[in-house]
């Protein structure tokens, strides 16, 4: 792989692991992070272990479309060859961003959607794009209304799963519209990260009983790193496998409707 890789959420468990793994292979990384102080601390940690690492840091808040636009405006055309849409969140409660989107949907779907679209003209035609999805996608269905849940529709895991399912749908439609792009999905499994603290009374119990059974961030991010490095397109990376997109997710008519609805909502 040549050129710089954008990693969103590079302050997080898997994002930081990905930045370190790529830096260790001599690949330049642009860490796109919500919290610059945290990002500088992660960068300093990686540099202490890999002094030659080429790590740039830029601010990006996926809960703000203005922040997404500002981030992309600062990207020099041709300077980036790959995008890893890694950042994600499971919101603890229902909240609406300044753009009018439910927060989980903004961070996991609308933000990455807009960022990818705006970046496209600045990327090579065969750019590598890896979108981080989740095994929860298989338990939900998607339609246009799901993109804008009402307070009564909200549940932590359900809303998260639908936002990831929407990201999956976007990835497949993106690959159809831009066949030269190498768009892949990565599913990390269940990883011991901040994300699985759902703010419940039983979180401390889960820390002791459940987290030790989960993958480490380093292991969880391996499918995404393979997706980035292998340079194929339209595959689903999970565990050690690189699979065809599972049949349950193939629905071009749905993907096209979700794309159109998103375009209307974001007003690209
Ligand atoms: N952990 C799992 O079991 C699991 C399973 C399936 C899929 N995934 C997916 O894997 C990806 C990485 O998750 P993780 O487990 O490494 O979680 P994590 O440690 O909580 O990292 C999440 C990252 O996303 C960033 N983020 C959150 N809100 C943001 C916003 N508004 N704008 C920009 N960045 C924002 C966080 O930034 P801050 O540091 O500022 O909070 C952090 O860097 C996510 O997409 C997640 O959905 C995780």
């Amino acid at each position: 792989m040549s050129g710089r890789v954008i990693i969103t959420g590079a302050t997080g468990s898997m994002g930081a692991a990905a930045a370190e793994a790529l830096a260790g292979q001599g690949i330049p990384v642009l860490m796109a992070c919500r919290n610059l102080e945290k990002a500088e601390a992660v960068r300093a940690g990686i540099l202490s272990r890999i002094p030659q690492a080429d790590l740039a840091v830029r601010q990006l808040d996926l809960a703000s479309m203005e922040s997404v636009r500002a981030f992309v405006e600062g990207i020099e055309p041709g300077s980036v060859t790959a995008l890893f849409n890694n950042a994600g969140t499971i919101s603890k409660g229902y909240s609406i961003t300044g753009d009018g989107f439910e927060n989980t949907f903004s961070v996991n779907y609308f933000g990455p959607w807009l960022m990818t679209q705006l970046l496209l003209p600045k990327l090579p035609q065969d750019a590598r794009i890896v979108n981080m999805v989740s095994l929860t996608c298989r338990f939900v269905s998607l339609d246009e209304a799901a993109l804008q849940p009402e307070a009564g529709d909200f549940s932590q895991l359900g809303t998260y799963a639908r936002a990831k399912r929407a990201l999956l749908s976007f990835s497949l439609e993106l690959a159809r519209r831009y066949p030269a792009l190498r768009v892949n999905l990565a599913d990390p499994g269940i990883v011991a990260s901040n994300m699985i603290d759902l703010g419940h009374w039983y979180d401390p119990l889960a820390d002791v009983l459940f987290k030790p059974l989960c993958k480490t961030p380093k292991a969880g991010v391996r499918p995404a790193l393979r997706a980035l490095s292998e340079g194929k397109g339209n595959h689903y990376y999970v565990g050690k496998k690189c699979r065809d997109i599972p049949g349950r997710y193939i629905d071009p008519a749905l993907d096209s409707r979700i794309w159109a609805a998103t375009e209307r909502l974001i007003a690209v």
Side-chain angles (χ1 to χ4, degrees), residues 9 11-14 34-35 38 60-63 86-88 107 132-134 160 164 188-191 193-196:
T11 49
S13 316
M14 284 189 267
R34 169 170 64 169
N35 180 331
K38 223 167 150 183
L60 170 73
D61 182 357
L62 293 162
N86 161 75
V107 176
M132 195 73 126
V133 293
S134 155
Y160 169 76
K164 287 294 188 192
I190 301 176
V191 178
S193 78
N194 300 335
M195 176 154 291
I196 59 174

Side-chain angles (χ1 to χ4, degrees), residues 32-145:
C33 301
R34 169 170 64 169
N35 180 331
L36 285 182
E37 211 175 305
K38 223 167 150 183
E40 289 300 345
V42 170
R43 180 171 177 272
I46 298 175
L47 282 170
S48 71
R49 294 180 289 279
I50 310 171
Q52 73 281 13
D54 180 348
L55 298 168
V57 171
R58 292 267 318 279
Q59 211 270 340
L60 170 73
D61 182 357
L62 293 162
S64 157
M65 298 306 120
E66 193 185 332
S67 170
V68 171
R69 289 179 194 279
F71 177 88
V72 177
E73 264 165 35
I75 301 291
E76 219 23 64
S79 64
V80 166
T81 53
L83 168 64
F84 177 21
N85 282 313
N86 161 75
T89 194
I90 301 181
S91 303
K92 293 189 170 45
Y94 181 80
S95 67
I96 297 291
T97 67
D99 301 290
F101 299 129
E102 186 282 322
N103 188 64
T104 317
F105 259 90
S106 185
V107 176
N108 293 284
Y109 176 62
F110 288 109
W113 193 100
L114 182 63
M115 174 138 146
T116 308
Q117 296 278 13
L118 296 178
L119 269 174
L120 281 184
K122 300 187 172 190
L123 298 177
Q125 284 191 338
D126 62 349
R128 299 162 192 227
I129 297 177
V130 174
N131 290 337
M132 195 73 126
V133 293
S134 155
L135 57 81
T136 59
C137 290
R138 69 165 63 196
F139 303 113
V140 291
S141 58
L142 185 66
D143 58 22
E144 291 96 315

